[in-house]
Each structure stands twice: as structure tokens, then as C-alpha cells.
Amino acid sequence: ERVELTSSSLSQRRELASSHKNIGLILHDKGDTEGSIRELETALEIQNSILNNEKDDKEEPQPTTTTLEEDDKKNDINNTPLSFSLEVANTHLNLAEVLCVVNRLQEALDHADLARKIQFQEMTKQKQQQNHKQRLQLSSLSPTIEVRKSYRKRLSTTVSFSSETTTSSSSSSSSTDTVTKSHKFLLAKTYSIIGEIFSRAGNYKMALDYHSLGCEIYTKYCPKTITYSCSASNVGLILYKMGKFESAYQQYLKPALEVEKTAIPNTLDLADSYSNVGEVLFRLERYDEALSNFQRALELKSIYDKDSLNLCKTHGDIGWTYHRLGNEEEKAQEHFSRAIDLEEHLIPNSDHLAQTYLMLVCSLKAQNKDATQWEDKMN
């Protein structure tokens, strides 16, 4: 038997779902992925029960209506508040993100796809509501306009509307634009998450398709923001993995870096972007430019991420770039040695450390120096 929900209990259940969701996000930030998944699934269960209850309420018989406004209300596809449906979609996305982290990729994709379906349903609903408002406005005008309703697109040039009608229409348009933008941002987030799922699965073509869709939306609605730069970086890194270095650099990684220089100066995120650009430039054999970006990354990481594997990698990148330049082996060996000092402490007996030993050996042999000590450590 269906439990009847009062407006008060609906509010309480929504708050309860929101609490479970927030706890899930906190647990994810703390690294408790299983706890996070459990809380987010509970939040979804509550939210879906609310949606199902409201759907049942909608399906109950309604009195016959005759007016235009009542008829349009009867035919509305969904009486659930717009923001709540989007909230449910967002919970699906949160869960998809956590599942992706633990490589439960098919489950993650299922939730992301559900979120996308909800968003498209809401966009359809929005268009119907907009059309409904337009019909109401037109029906309240003079009979002359009713006669010419088949030429509505031309009405603005032949009919003089009152200032009150014009103001109302402008306000409605502004509200619709705002809702449209919120839909677009959530849809872009969905595309990005699906792109990350495919990337983790090794399907870079599909990953590129979805990341690009998300980036197109951010480029249109919020260029020169961190949201855009993160999305552009994701596209660039996928292109990098596909070996399309020039496109990765020119179209995505370079513009993203320029945004971040202003938006988030002196941060670890900016340091990582410098490293990404440096790696692409290295692949393009533009070693001087690569070195400049690696050095800027090192400056920031030495402040915000010192004594870390991230810092080790940057020392290695700089060392290998000096080695490729051909006449800077002393500087190359200095950076390899710094990387080794940290790695022997942080990750002894690891493949990554062995690779750094190998790079140092290559640099020493380039100068005909004895590398026996480091070759022994490699073995």
C-alpha cells in the first residue's frame, strides 16, 4: 500500500536524502569510497521513492478541464519540481564519480546514463513550459492576433505590445535562459564524467567524444573560468594519450593554462598544468619551451607539494629534458639525483625508482662517466 506523503513529510524526506548525499561526499573526500557509495545509494533510494510517489499522485483521475490554461496544465509531462529532478540527476552523477574511482566502470556508466536521461526529460519539460507561456500570452491579446496566429514569428514587427506585456515577456525569457544554462552545466558535467569512465576503460575515442561535448558547453557559457580550463585539460590529455600532440597543445592545454595563470595563480593545480604543457611540448621536441614549463612547475611544487612523488616526477622531467638538449648533462644529473634521493625514501625498490636510475645512467654514459654504481642499483 502506498504511503501518503504530506508536504511536511516530503520536505523532511528531501532533507534526509540531502543529508545522506552530503555524508557520502564527505566520506569520498576522506577516502572512504565504500561508505560514500553506501550513503549515496541511500540518498538515491529516498529520492526515487519521492519521485514515484509524485508520479502516482499525477496518475490519479483529474476533473475535465476546458480552458486553454487548464488544458495545458493537464498535458504537462511532469509536475515534479524542476530543481528536484535535477538534484536526483546530480546524485546519480556523484555516485558515478565515486564508482569510477574504484573502477566499477559499468555501474558508473549506468548511473551517468540515468542522469543524462533525466536531464533530457527536464529539457523537454522546459520547452513545453515555455511554449505554454507563449500560448497564454498570445491568447490574451487582441482578436486580430488570433486571426494571424499562423504568423506568430512576425508578430513583433506588426503588433504594438503594451509595456506591461513586453516586461513580462522579457522577464520570462531571462528566467528561461537561467534554467537553460543550469541544464547545460549539468549536462556538461555528465559528459565529462562519462568521458572519464571511457578513459579509465582505455576507450580513448569515446572518451574524447564525451569530453569534447562537455568542453563545447563550457566554452560557450563560461570561457576563461576554472570549470572551462579543467574540461579543456581533460580533452587535451586524451588527445595526448592518442598521440595527437599538436592538437592537444594548441587547442586545449595551452588555452587552459592561460586561463589558470590568472584564475588560480600560485597553486598546485597550476603547477600540474605547467607539467602537462611541458610533457606535450617535450613530445613535440620543443625542448626549450618544455623546460621552461617544467621549471615553473617545479617552483610551485617545491612550495605546495614538497617531498612528494609529484615533485620527484618533475625533477625527472627536467633532467630528461636537459639530457635531450644534449649539452646540459651536468644539470640533468643534478635533477636525477634529487629525484632519486626522494624516491629512495618514498618508494624504495619500485619500478619508478629503477626508471630514474636508468635515466641517470644514460646521462652519465653520454659524458663517458662511470655509471656502475647506478647500474648495480637497477639490478
Side-chain angles (χ1 to χ4, degrees), residues 125-351:
K125 173 185 175 182
Q126 176 193 343
K127 290 179 181 178
Q128 289 190 350
Q129 290 173 336
Q130 185 179 9
N131 292 338
H132 166 65
K133 290 179 181 179
Q134 291 174 345
R135 285 196 297 271
L136 287 180
Q137 290 171 356
L138 290 170
S139 67
S140 65
L141 299 177
S142 67
T144 304
I145 296 177
E146 280 295 317
V147 172
R148 302 181 61 185
K149 63 184 177 181
S150 61
Y151 301 97
R152 285 177 183 168
K153 290 184 179 180
R154 297 170 53 189
L155 284 177
S156 60
T157 61
T158 58
V159 179
S160 177
F161 293 92
S162 69
S163 60
E164 180 179 351
T165 304
T166 303
T167 302
S168 174
S169 176
S170 175
S171 174
S172 173
S173 176
S174 175
S175 175
T176 300
D177 289 345
T178 301
V179 174
T180 299
K181 187 176 290 189
S182 69
H183 275 99
K184 293 293 185 180
F185 282 143
L186 190 57
L187 187 60
K189 178 182 177 181
T190 304
Y191 287 142
S192 296
I193 291 173
I194 294 175
E196 179 60 22
I197 293 169
F198 279 116
S199 177
R200 284 176 175 263
N203 189 337
Y204 295 134
K205 184 181 182 303
M206 292 295 291
L208 178 62
D209 289 344
Y210 279 101
H211 273 307
S212 297
L213 286 170
C215 191
E216 286 175 11
I217 294 172
Y218 292 134
T219 301
K220 179 178 180 179
Y221 289 99
C222 58
K224 299 183 179 179
T225 65
I226 295 303
T227 303
Y228 156 77
S229 68
C230 289
S231 181
S233 294
N234 286 334
V235 179
L237 293 175
I238 294 298
L239 287 169
Y240 173 82
K241 292 176 180 178
M242 297 174 73
K244 300 179 180 181
F245 305 124
E246 188 65 39
S247 295
Y249 173 63
Q250 291 291 349
Q251 297 179 35
Y252 297 100
L253 294 179
K254 182 180 178 181
L257 179 60
E258 292 304 314
V259 169
E260 293 179 4
K261 286 179 182 178
T262 302
I264 50 171
N266 303 320
T267 61
L268 184 57
D269 286 335
L270 179 59
D272 289 336
S273 293
Y274 275 117
S275 290
N276 291 338
V277 169
E279 289 188 34
V280 175
L281 289 169
F282 183 91
R283 291 284 189 168
L284 291 170
E285 299 184 359
R286 294 161 62 172
Y287 298 127
D288 288 324
E289 294 174 78
L291 182 60
S292 177
N293 281 276
F294 286 141
Q295 287 173 330
R296 184 64 183 125
L298 182 65
E299 291 174 9
L300 294 171
K301 291 177 183 179
S302 297
I303 299 172
Y304 300 106
D305 204 21
K306 59 183 179 180
D307 300 330
S308 69
L309 291 177
N310 199 0
L311 184 63
C312 295
K313 183 181 184 305
T314 303
H315 276 299
D317 290 335
I318 292 174
W320 198 242
T321 306
Y322 274 129
H323 175 66
R324 284 297 182 92
L325 285 169
N327 57 351
E328 299 284 0
E329 294 298 347
E330 296 293 339
K331 292 181 179 179
Q333 292 158 27
E334 177 186 347
H335 283 281
F336 290 144
S337 296
R338 290 183 181 180
I340 288 171
D341 288 342
L342 286 172
E343 290 172 4
E344 286 181 335
H345 173 67
L346 296 171
I347 49 171
N349 304 317
S350 66
D351 291 339

Side-chain angles (χ1 to χ4, degrees), residues 19-180:
S19 296
H20 280 290
K21 178 179 177 179
N22 290 334
I23 292 172
L25 296 177
I26 292 170
L27 290 174
H28 176 54
D29 288 340
K30 291 185 174 181
D32 183 0
T33 53
E34 290 304 319
S36 176
I37 291 170
R38 184 170 57 252
E39 292 294 332
L40 290 171
E41 286 178 337
T42 301
L44 268 178
E45 183 179 353
I46 296 170
Q47 290 173 334
N48 285 330
S49 71
I50 295 172
L51 287 176
N52 290 335
N53 188 275
E54 292 185 351
K55 181 180 178 182
D56 289 343
D57 285 342
K58 179 192 169 188
E59 290 174 353
E60 291 177 0
Q62 301 293 329
T64 303
T65 58
T66 56
T67 67
L68 174 63
E69 181 175 0
E70 290 173 337
D71 190 52
D72 279 339
K73 285 183 178 179
K74 181 180 69 174
N75 292 325
D76 191 9
I77 63 168
N78 191 352
N79 290 323
T80 303
L82 184 66
S83 59
F84 183 68
S85 293
L86 291 180
E87 185 178 338
V88 176
N90 202 29
T91 306
H92 276 293
L93 290 180
N94 293 141
L95 184 53
E97 285 185 282
V98 181
L99 290 166
C100 183
V101 169
V102 294
N103 286 321
R104 291 164 60 176
L105 301 181
Q106 185 57 57
E107 294 173 76
L109 186 60
D110 290 342
H111 281 284
D113 197 48
L114 282 171
R116 183 174 53 168
K117 289 178 180 178
I118 293 172
Q119 290 158 31
F120 279 117
Q121 288 172 356
E122 289 299 309
M123 291 172 74
T124 301
K125 173 185 175 182
Q126 176 193 343
K127 290 179 181 178
Q128 289 190 350
Q129 290 173 336
Q130 185 179 9
N131 292 338
H132 166 65
K133 290 179 181 179
Q134 291 174 345
R135 285 196 297 271
L136 287 180
Q137 290 171 356
L138 290 170
S139 67
S140 65
L141 299 177
S142 67
T144 304
I145 296 177
E146 280 295 317
V147 172
R148 302 181 61 185
K149 63 184 177 181
S150 61
Y151 301 97
R152 285 177 183 168
K153 290 184 179 180
R154 297 170 53 189
L155 284 177
S156 60
T157 61
T158 58
V159 179
S160 177
F161 293 92
S162 69
S163 60
E164 180 179 351
T165 304
T166 303
T167 302
S168 174
S169 176
S170 175
S171 174
S172 173
S173 176
S174 175
S175 175
T176 300
D177 289 345
T178 301
V179 174
T180 299

